[in-house]
Amino acid sequence: MRLDGKVAIVTGAASGFGRGIAQLYAREGAKVCVADLNGQGARDVANEIGAAAIHAAADVANADDVRAMVAATVDAFGGVDVMVNNAGYTHKNQPMLDVSEAEFDRIFDVNVKAIFLAAKAVVPEMEKRGGGVMITTASTAGVRPRPGLTWYNGSKGAAITLTKSMAVELAPKRIRVCAINPVAGETGMLADFMGQDTPEIRERFVGTIPLGRFSQPDDVANAALFLADPASNFLTGICIEVDGGRCI
């Protein structure tokens, strides 16, 4: 059990990468708060996991929701050791000037502001435990951006920079901060990334990935497990590209 005795919060955990992370963490011995804007979906995943999980309906861009999510986890399990900022949002693949201001704001609220709010809520709890790990699901979009996703790309570039800066600042508190950069994956946002979901467009996207497939939840979950594992306690500020070679 690589996470025996650990307590984790995973946002965006009702589906996709987040669900895979929450389930793997629980199998490896962690207690998990399954958090998502989709409260029923979070409840369903927590029920699948069983007694090792609680659920929280939370908008990660809302400070009250984030504080309540962390408080519920502390009340249930005694603290927080791992915070996975996995919830994400994107605009549809389109010319940058066609994206609305409301869409832009929501992208940066979910993909960037949420990291700020999570840090404000969990860092004090991690300090009580003598340290911890914060992991953000960023994206290859922040490293090798695709046309048509400019504002999303920018939000993930910010997440990567925040990861590195937070890692330095929080190191004296024994809090590690890392990120995962998945390539486009089989999640609910895939159609938005591509603009349209057709066999021809899928083939074109997959053609940019040397290993020849989209990412899967298990790919990202395995990376998140590695980063949360105490055996990785000398790793901080790193961004693991889970991308089948896309960023080469």
Side-chain angles (χ1 to χ4, degrees):
M1 293 277 190
R2 294 167 65 180
L3 299 181
D4 191 34
K6 299 297 183 183
V7 178
I9 299 172
V10 184
T11 67
S15 61
F17 297 151
R19 179 183 180 185
I21 294 168
Q23 291 175 326
L24 181 57
Y25 277 12
R27 289 198 299 272
E28 289 293 338
K31 305 293 187 183
V32 183
C33 174
V34 178
D36 203 285
L37 185 63
N38 175 0
Q40 184 58 54
R43 182 191 298 272
D44 291 343
V45 174
N47 287 341
E48 290 171 8
I49 292 172
I54 62 168
H55 69 277
D59 180 347
V60 295
N62 181 287
D64 289 340
D65 280 8
V66 172
R67 284 192 291 265
M69 171 185 75
V70 173
T73 305
V74 173
D75 287 347
F77 301 129
V80 181
D81 302 294
V82 184
M83 176 73 222
V84 182
N85 295 304
N86 171 75
Y89 190 80
T90 187
H91 56 83
K92 188 175 181 178
N93 193 308
Q94 62 187 293
M96 55 183 274
L97 298 184
D98 291 349
V99 175
S100 71
E101 183 177 354
E103 288 177 303
F104 175 91
D105 287 344
R106 185 60 179 165
I107 289 162
F108 274 79
D109 280 351
V110 174
N111 297 351
V112 182
K113 182 181 178 182
I115 299 172
F116 164 78
L117 294 178
K120 296 273 281 188
V122 301
V123 166
E125 295 300 333
M126 289 180 175
E127 284 189 89
K128 295 174 186 176
R129 309 273 276 192
V133 189
M134 297 184 68
I135 302 168
T136 294
T137 303
S139 173
T140 56
V143 182
R144 289 199 64 192
R146 296 181 189 268
L149 292 167
T150 288
W151 310 118
Y152 173 79
N153 297 339
S155 73
K156 292 304 186 178
I160 291 167
T161 299
L162 286 172
T163 294
K164 295 176 182 295
S165 185
M166 290 167 63
V168 175
E169 187 161 344
L170 294 176
K173 300 179 186 293
R174 313 303 297 171
I175 296 172
R176 300 186 294 112
V177 188
C178 298
I180 300 168
N181 294 335
V183 75
E186 299 280 1
T187 71
M189 295 198 297
L190 181 59
D192 286 330
F193 290 144
M194 296 189 298
Q196 301 179 64
D197 191 351
T198 68
E200 294 76 18
I201 293 175
R202 281 189 173 230
E203 183 178 358
R204 189 170 77 239
F205 267 66
V206 169
T208 69
I209 303 170
L211 287 183
R213 66 172 175 84
F214 290 118
S215 65
Q216 299 291 334
D218 283 351
D219 298 320
V220 176
N222 285 328
L225 174 61
F226 169 70
L227 292 173
D229 190 329
S232 299
N233 65 13
F234 201 54
L235 299 180
T236 196
I238 66 169
C239 303
I240 298 180
E241 291 157 10
V242 182
D243 68 348
R246 156 72 182 155
C247 288
I248 297 170

